[in-house]
Amino acid sequence: MKPKKATIHDIAKKLSITASTVSRALNNNPRISEATKKAVFKVAKDLNYQPNNIAAALRSGKSQLIGIIVPRINRSFFSSVIRGVEEVANTLGYGVIVSQSYEKIENEISVVNSLLNARVDGIMASIVDNKTENYEHYENVIKKGIPLVLFDRTTKEIETSQVVIDDYLGGYMVTEHLIKQGCKKIIHYTSDRTINIYKERYRGYIEALKDYNIPFNQSFVFKNNMLLDGGRDSTEKLLESGQKFDAIFSASDYAAAGAMQVMKEQNIKIPDDIALAGFSNEPFTSLTDPPLTTVSQFPIEMGQAAAELFFEILDSTKKKVIPQKTVLHPELIVRASSLKKGK
Amino acid sequence: MKPKKATIHDIAKKLSITASTVSRALNNNPRISEATKKAVFKVAKDLNYQPNNIAAALRSGKSQLIGIIVPRINRSFFSSVIRGVEEVANTLGYGVIVSQSYEKIENEISVVNSLLNARVDGIMASIVDNKTENYEHYENVIKKGIPLVLFDRTTKEIETSQVVIDDYLGGYMVTEHLIKQGCKKIIHYTSDRTINIYKERYRGYIEALKDYNIPFNQSFVFKNNMLLDGGRDSTEKLLESGQKFDAIFSASDYAAAGAMQVMKEQNIKIPDDIALAGFSNEPFTSLTDPPLTTVSQFPIEMGQAAAELFFEILDSTKKKVIPQKTVLHPELIVRASSLKKGK
DNA sequence: CTGTTAGCGCTTTCAA
DNA sequence: TTGAAAGCGCTAACAG
């Protein structure tokens, strides 16, 4: 039933050479003659030889595996980042293990551990919200000398290479766009948790208002979970409050979708009565009615950039690597949800 | 910088016992006294010991890792299936490696190989379209005695356990629902590739028509890539053809979204002029305007079911396991896109 | 260009 | 209840 797999020793025996020669041939070591290489590859094929990466990993200490931690993979943004990472990792002969933290610190700690036990050669992560500011698990990774790169959801508390988009700029661009559409009373939805990216978008919002001499109004800012129901919630509260407003800038596409639902239910016209914009360019944003103005974060490029930083650390023979930070430029995607007539 | 990690030998030395005792203690072997166990765990903690799974895997031949292959992870359906698998795998101490085939047979072959090289204890896969009917890579897996479970996109050509939803029934339910809404000329969008699930949904469509004495019309069936642009394409062709119709049942939510876009552009009212339904219950379907009628496939449950079948194979000591097939029941989710007034 | 040798860290008979 | 010894399959000095 379970035929025992061929090893390099089997190949060696068949050719009356030694295992080390076979190993070298298989790894294309330049010091092996073409003739032996060819012979080795032929026999390997005949025996249906499959290298045992585990043995190689144990011996060499390198598993050729990278662990990626994201809050959840069913977000288009994160799965696209992963795709970007895979693109560059695969060409370099590295595989990728994807783990999800489901936004919970307990899970994050446990997956970091699993990844470490699986002896990944390094970790790339988008961290979860963490009010305790306890980053021990990640600091441990660094202490062990294992390359760590953070992307998107990062913190300066962890001293390692990072790649982010300029969320501040993104927030600024959306707000500026709404202002240029003639909006003066712009509501902002932001996260109720302490996640950097949302703070930055918020900062961009405030700064744009300032630059265009529009007074900032604290009661215009609503915090929610940045999901569909959070957006619905905030919008209901907003409408109940009776405040006048002419635009909503939600720092999340999902919350913007919630806002859209509630406003439609109340017969508020988008964009004529209220202009609406989200953030992230989730695929569904082009499918809503009206299509949603949003910001592209170039996730594939972010994955590639993260992988590049990662391999820089990995390749550096020198003990200390200065943490790098790559900042990507966001792009405003204007769609019908924020286009006032005659503009 | 890079402190060498503690091994069981370090623990053994500290306690003046042998590595084998430490190993047994760590694995909770009943033949070890509680006292030694306690001591071992204490020292392990002190030394910040992390087990080297790679060494264990090499020695035992078990990596405690399951490989999952899906077309792409940024489909809500697949990421939810993965979540279901993780739920049961993690509780049993197994980790999960996710690989994407991106719908290409070359990629599929190569990831199967990578997974095998990584010495996963088994593979769960949703296969790609494959007109050559060449399933050698999967048959190889079975031949090696490595548990294989197929889910969603399966084929009877591969003799192994499978879990699917009753796509035939799903197709039937949607069609029946449309008929009950008074529709008589129902268009069907199906895949232009030979993927089982779409054939089944198609079959359900035909059978429902038959049961309600509605003549089947071949010119009502459009094949496309089941993506947004495919749906747009088919809808444009459909409208150009000048055929009369009163409903569209798309076997994919994305293609249904494309149909919705084109119809809106042409000022066709949904559902009043044309009723529309998709398939899969992708999250965006509740966000479109009108919200899209669709079919839930219970992806998390599918993942759990697949994992259960998987561990059944794994646990079976007997050489031969009879391939099992789990069939899940789909659920029709009726939303505004298919609700005719007065019904 | 190839062979010898040792060992990565762990599990697991066999023996005590 | 614990120890001794062997070895999983591979790589990498070192030696020639």
Side-chain angles (χ1 to χ4, degrees):
Chain A
M1 178 86 238
K2 218 179 215 182
K4 58 173 109 22
K5 299 124 190 162
T7 73
I8 50 172
H9 291 100
D10 301 324
I11 301 179
K13 204 170 294 171
K14 267 234 153 72
L15 291 169
S16 306
I17 54 178
T18 62
S20 35
T21 305
V22 174
S23 170
R24 285 191 269 252
L26 255 14
N27 290 306
N28 246 302
N29 187 313
R31 304 187 317 179
I32 298 292
S33 73
E34 282 308 317
T36 12
K37 274 188 195 169
K38 203 168 285 179
V40 166
F41 277 108
K42 192 195 171 311
V43 176
K45 194 159 199 179
D46 289 351
L47 295 182
N48 192 18
Y49 168 75
Q50 284 212 289
N52 185 331
N53 284 356
I54 295 214
L58 176 59
R59 176 60 231 244
S60 64
K62 262 90 211 39
S63 64
Q64 303 278 109
L65 245 32
I66 306 173
I68 302 189
I69 305 171
V70 293
R72 36 180 27 109
I73 55 175
N74 63 345
R75 275 281 211 280
S76 162
F77 173 73
F78 290 118
S79 49
S80 300
V81 173
I82 291 169
R83 179 158 190 174
V85 173
E86 276 192 331
E87 276 174 15
V88 356
N90 289 343
T91 62
L92 293 172
Y94 278 75
V96 156
I97 300 185
V98 180
S99 309
Q100 307 184 65
S101 62
Y102 295 113
E103 321 256 12
K104 296 228 180 67
I105 180 77
E106 316 89 81
N107 293 332
E108 191 178 60
I109 292 173
S110 110
V111 300
V112 166
N113 252 291
S114 305
L115 254 20
L116 252 25
N117 288 166
R119 288 312 200 257
V120 292
D121 289 344
I123 292 179
M124 313 188 32
S126 203
I127 67 175
V128 308
D129 171 34
N130 182 343
K131 26 200 141 249
T132 65
E133 300 264 313
N134 177 8
Y135 299 112
E136 222 181 297
H137 47 305
Y138 283 126
E139 269 144 17
N140 244 318
V141 171
I142 300 174
K143 219 180 295 167
K144 282 190 204 301
I146 294 171
L148 174 68
V149 173
L150 302 182
F151 61 90
D152 193 49
R153 302 190 181 186
T154 67
T155 171
K156 56 182 179 339
E157 299 297 318
I158 303 174
E159 265 190 62
T160 193
S161 290
Q162 321 199 335
V163 28
V164 293
I165 68 150
D166 192 336
D167 284 285
Y168 163 80
L169 180 59
Y172 189 99
M173 291 192 304
V174 173
T175 312
E176 181 177 45
H177 161 71
L178 292 171
I179 294 170
K180 287 191 173 167
Q181 292 296 308
C183 301
K184 298 228 179 302
K185 295 173 180 303
I186 304 171
I187 304 293
H188 182 53
Y189 292 174
T190 187
S191 175
D192 52 11
R193 316 187 70 180
T194 56
I195 302 179
N196 239 309
I197 52 177
Y198 296 113
K199 283 199 277 192
E200 286 296 293
R201 293 170 197 175
Y202 187 11
R203 205 162 63 77
Y205 160 79
I206 292 175
E207 207 56 27
L209 292 181
K210 191 182 292 174
D211 286 356
Y212 284 86
N213 293 311
I214 297 178
F216 167 72
N217 185 340
Q218 184 65 58
S219 74
F220 276 11
V221 178
F222 290 75
K223 296 191 175 191
N224 63 53
N225 65 6
M226 298 276 90
L227 300 178
L228 184 82
D229 62 311
R232 290 191 58 100
D233 241 50
S234 292
T235 310
E236 277 157 6
K237 286 201 186 102
L238 168 61
L239 292 172
E240 277 166 21
S241 78
Q243 295 186 82
K244 292 260 179 262
F245 64 99
D246 49 22
I248 299 175
F249 162 32
S250 164
S252 140
D253 282 333
Y254 286 93
M260 189 180 280
Q261 284 185 349
V262 171
M263 290 199 281
K264 281 186 184 178
E265 286 162 19
Q266 312 239 358
N267 270 311
I268 297 169
K269 297 278 174 265
I270 303 169
D272 298 339
D273 299 338
I274 304 294
L276 179 64
F279 206 108
S280 282
N281 196 24
E282 285 288 324
F284 76 81
T285 55
S286 65
L287 300 173
T288 54
D289 183 41
L292 188 66
T293 290
T294 186
V295 174
S296 170
Q297 304 177 273
F298 299 103
I300 293 191
E301 287 78 357
M302 184 177 283
Q304 292 168 334
E308 273 152 27
L309 287 186
F310 177 86
F311 286 109
E312 258 175 46
I313 305 180
L314 200 66
D315 293 344
S316 67
T317 40
K318 53 194 178 215
K319 297 284 137 201
K320 266 276 186 226
V321 193
I322 306 120
Q324 306 253 215
K325 187 161 188 171
T326 302
V327 179
L328 301 176
H329 218 77
E331 185 187 25
L332 178 68
I333 299 180
V334 176
R335 299 208 184 94
S337 73
S338 67
L339 280 179
K340 295 283 191 179
K341 288 210 179 89
K343 286 276 167 180
Chain B
M1 179 86 241
K2 220 179 215 186
K4 57 170 114 13
K5 300 124 189 164
T7 73
I8 50 172
H9 291 100
D10 300 324
I11 301 179
K13 204 169 294 172
K14 266 233 153 71
L15 291 169
S16 305
I17 53 177
T18 62
S20 32
T21 306
V22 174
S23 170
R24 285 191 268 251
L26 256 14
N27 290 306
N28 246 300
N29 187 312
R31 305 186 318 179
I32 297 292
S33 73
E34 282 307 316
T36 13
K37 273 188 196 169
K38 205 169 283 179
V40 166
F41 278 109
K42 193 198 168 310
V43 176
K45 194 160 198 178
D46 288 353
L47 295 182
N48 191 19
Y49 169 75
Q50 285 213 290
N52 186 331
N53 287 176
I54 295 214
L58 176 60
R59 179 59 232 247
S60 65
K62 263 89 210 39
S63 64
Q64 301 278 110
L65 245 32
I66 306 173
I68 302 189
I69 306 171
V70 293
R72 34 180 30 109
I73 55 174
N74 63 345
R75 276 281 212 282
S76 163
F77 172 73
F78 290 118
S79 48
S80 301
V81 173
I82 292 169
R83 178 159 189 173
V85 173
E86 277 192 331
E87 276 175 15
V88 356
N90 289 343
T91 62
L92 294 173
Y94 279 74
V96 156
I97 301 186
V98 180
S99 309
Q100 307 184 66
S101 62
Y102 295 112
E103 322 256 9
K104 296 230 179 67
I105 179 78
E106 316 89 80
N107 293 332
E108 192 178 60
I109 292 173
S110 110
V111 301
V112 166
N113 253 291
S114 305
L115 254 20
L116 252 25
N117 290 165
R119 285 319 198 252
V120 292
D121 289 345
I123 292 179
M124 312 189 31
S126 203
I127 67 175
V128 308
D129 171 34
N130 183 343
K131 30 200 137 249
T132 66
E133 300 265 313
N134 178 9
Y135 299 112
E136 222 181 298
H137 46 306
Y138 284 124
E139 270 145 16
N140 245 317
V141 171
I142 300 174
K143 218 180 297 168
K144 283 189 204 300
I146 294 172
L148 173 68
V149 173
L150 302 183
F151 60 91
D152 193 50
R153 301 191 182 185
T154 68
T155 171
K156 56 183 179 338
E157 299 297 319
I158 304 174
E159 264 190 63
T160 194
S161 290
Q162 321 199 335
V163 28
V164 294
I165 67 148
D166 192 336
D167 284 285
Y168 163 79
L169 180 59
Y172 189 100
M173 290 191 305
V174 173
T175 311
E176 181 178 44
H177 161 71
L178 292 171
I179 293 170
K180 288 190 172 166
Q181 291 297 307
C183 300
K184 298 228 178 301
K185 295 174 181 301
I186 303 170
I187 304 294
H188 182 53
Y189 291 175
T190 187
S191 173
D192 51 10
R193 316 187 71 179
T194 56
I195 302 179
N196 239 308
I197 52 176
Y198 296 113
K199 282 199 276 192
E200 286 296 294
R201 293 170 198 175
Y202 186 10
R203 205 161 64 77
Y205 160 78
I206 292 175
E207 207 55 27
L209 292 181
K210 191 182 292 172
D211 286 356
Y212 285 85
N213 293 310
I214 297 179
F216 168 72
N217 185 338
Q218 185 66 60
S219 73
F220 276 10
V221 177
F222 289 75
K223 296 191 175 192
N224 63 53
N225 64 7
M226 297 277 92
L227 300 178
L228 184 82
D229 62 311
R232 290 193 57 101
D233 241 49
S234 292
T235 310
E236 277 158 6
K237 287 204 186 99
L238 167 61
L239 293 172
E240 276 166 25
S241 78
Q243 294 186 83
K244 293 259 179 259
F245 64 100
D246 49 23
I248 299 176
F249 162 32
S250 165
S252 140
D253 283 333
Y254 286 92
M260 190 180 278
Q261 284 186 349
V262 171
M263 290 198 281
K264 281 186 184 178
E265 287 162 18
Q266 311 239 359
N267 269 312
I268 297 169
K269 298 278 173 266
I270 304 169
D272 298 339
D273 299 338
I274 304 295
L276 180 64
F279 206 109
S280 282
N281 196 24
E282 285 289 323
F284 77 81
T285 55
S286 65
L287 300 174
T288 53
D289 183 42
L292 189 66
T293 290
T294 185
V295 174
S296 170
Q297 305 177 273
F298 299 103
I300 294 192
E301 287 80 357
M302 183 177 283
Q304 292 168 335
E308 273 151 26
L309 287 186
F310 178 86
F311 285 110
E312 258 175 46
I313 305 180
L314 200 66
D315 293 344
S316 66
T317 40
K318 52 194 178 214
K319 297 284 138 202
K320 267 276 184 225
V321 192
I322 306 121
Q324 305 253 213
K325 188 161 188 171
T326 302
V327 178
L328 301 176
H329 217 78
E331 185 187 25
L332 178 67
I333 298 179
V334 176
R335 299 208 184 93
S337 73
S338 66
L339 279 179
K340 295 283 191 181
K341 286 206 182 90
K343 287 277 168 180

